[in-house]
Amino acid sequence: MPKNPAPPTQGKSGKLNPTLANIRNKKIKKLGDLHPKSRKASKAHKDLLHMDKKVFHIATRDLKYKPELMKMSFFQRSIWMDQKKVYTLEELKELANEYTERHDDEIADAYQEAKIFGTSGVKRLAPTSRAGQYETLRLHEKELLENGKFSVPDLTNPRVVRDLSEWKSGNVDQMKSLKTIEVGLPEEQHMEEDGKEAGGAKGAEEAGMDVPEQA
C-alpha cells in the first residue's frame, strides 16, 4: 500500500474524480436552467457551494495558490448568481470593489468589540489578529484598485465567463489558463474619492494651509 494514498475524492493527478465532477456539472446545469431569483435556484446554489467547500481543500494541491483560488471562487459564484454570459468593464470594476470589501463585516465587528472593552480610541486593529490581517489586506487591495492595478478574471470576455463558470474549484491548472485583466475603481467610487480630495483641499485652504499644486 502506498504511504500517502490520495483522498477518495481526488485522483492521482490531484483532480477531482469523474464521479464527483459529473455530480457537480449536473448541479451547475440545473442551476443554469432555473430562474435566477427563484427559491429552487437559491437552494441549488447553496448545494453547489456546500459541495465546493467540502472538496476545496482536497483539490488544492499547493497552498501558495490559495489566495488566487479564493478570488476565482468569488467571481465564479458571482457568475452563477448573476447568470450572465458577459460583463461590461464597469460591472467588472464593481465586482472587484465588492471583492475587496468581503471582510468588512468582520473588521467592523472587531472595532465594535474594541469599543465595548474601552479601547474606542484605537485607530488600527492589532496586525497579528485575524481582523487586523483582513484590514491590512483590504488596504493593500484598495490601493491596487485605486491605481488600476487590481488583477481579476477578464469577465468582459464571454469565453472567460464560460470557462470560469465551468471551472472545478481548486484546480490550479485550469485557473492558470484563465485570462486576467487589471482594473481600477468603479466610476461612482472614483467620483467619491475625487470629492473627498477636493473637499480636503478646500478645507485646507480655508484653514490657511498651503495646498500643493497638482502636477
Side-chain angles (χ1 to χ4, degrees):
M1 265 183 85
K3 292 182 180 179
N4 298 305
T9 53
Q10 188 177 19
K12 293 180 180 179
S13 64
K15 299 178 180 179
L16 300 181
N17 67 29
T19 303
L20 187 58
N22 288 340
I23 294 172
R24 189 177 183 281
N25 289 338
K26 286 179 181 178
K27 286 180 177 289
I28 291 175
K29 184 179 184 303
K30 179 182 177 182
L31 180 62
D33 291 338
L34 297 171
H35 190 283
K37 293 185 179 180
S38 68
R39 289 183 180 179
K40 287 185 177 180
S42 178
K43 184 179 184 304
H45 181 253
K46 288 179 181 178
D47 288 345
L48 194 55
L49 292 185
H50 181 65
M51 171 178 278
D52 279 346
K53 283 179 181 178
K54 287 196 300 183
V55 303
F56 188 84
H57 294 290
I58 295 173
T60 304
R61 291 176 295 167
D62 195 333
L63 290 179
K64 72 178 182 180
Y65 291 111
K66 190 171 182 178
E68 281 301 306
L69 289 166
M70 296 294 286
K71 181 192 288 187
M72 288 295 178
S73 291
F74 171 87
F75 284 92
Q76 184 185 55
R77 292 194 297 272
S78 297
I79 293 171
W80 292 343
M81 291 299 290
D82 296 337
Q83 294 288 295
K84 282 180 173 288
K85 297 188 181 297
V86 70
Y87 288 74
T88 65
L89 181 58
E90 192 62 21
E91 287 172 336
L92 182 55
K93 288 179 179 180
E94 289 171 1
L95 272 183
N97 189 55
E98 183 183 336
Y99 176 77
T100 64
E101 297 173 353
R102 64 197 181 280
H103 299 305
D104 279 12
D105 287 344
E106 187 164 343
I107 294 171
D109 288 344
Y111 274 108
Q112 182 63 27
E113 186 176 339
K115 185 177 180 181
I116 291 172
F117 286 97
T119 52
S120 58
V122 65
K123 293 182 179 179
R124 285 291 304 276
L125 298 169
T128 54
S129 68
R130 175 167 156 168
Q133 291 174 357
Y134 285 159
E135 186 178 37
T136 301
L137 178 62
R138 184 190 195 280
L139 290 170
H140 173 65
E141 291 176 342
K142 282 292 186 184
E143 183 179 359
L144 290 174
L145 201 59
E146 288 167 5
N147 294 323
K149 297 291 185 181
F150 192 68
S151 179
V152 295
D154 185 7
L155 303 187
T156 63
N157 184 325
R159 181 174 179 179
V160 176
V161 175
R162 183 198 67 199
D163 291 347
L164 182 55
S165 178
E166 297 173 356
W167 172 59
K168 295 174 178 62
S169 300
N171 189 302
V172 176
D173 292 334
Q174 284 186 341
M175 181 189 71
K176 287 180 178 179
S177 70
L178 294 169
K179 180 184 176 185
T180 59
I181 186 175
E182 291 183 341
V183 299
L185 287 168
E187 192 62 33
E188 184 178 345
Q189 197 85 1
H190 255 307
M191 292 173 67
E192 289 179 6
E193 293 297 325
D194 291 344
K196 288 178 184 177
E197 290 178 6
K202 184 178 179 181
E205 288 176 353
E206 291 174 351
M209 298 170 62
D210 292 330
V211 180
E213 294 182 3
Q214 295 292 325

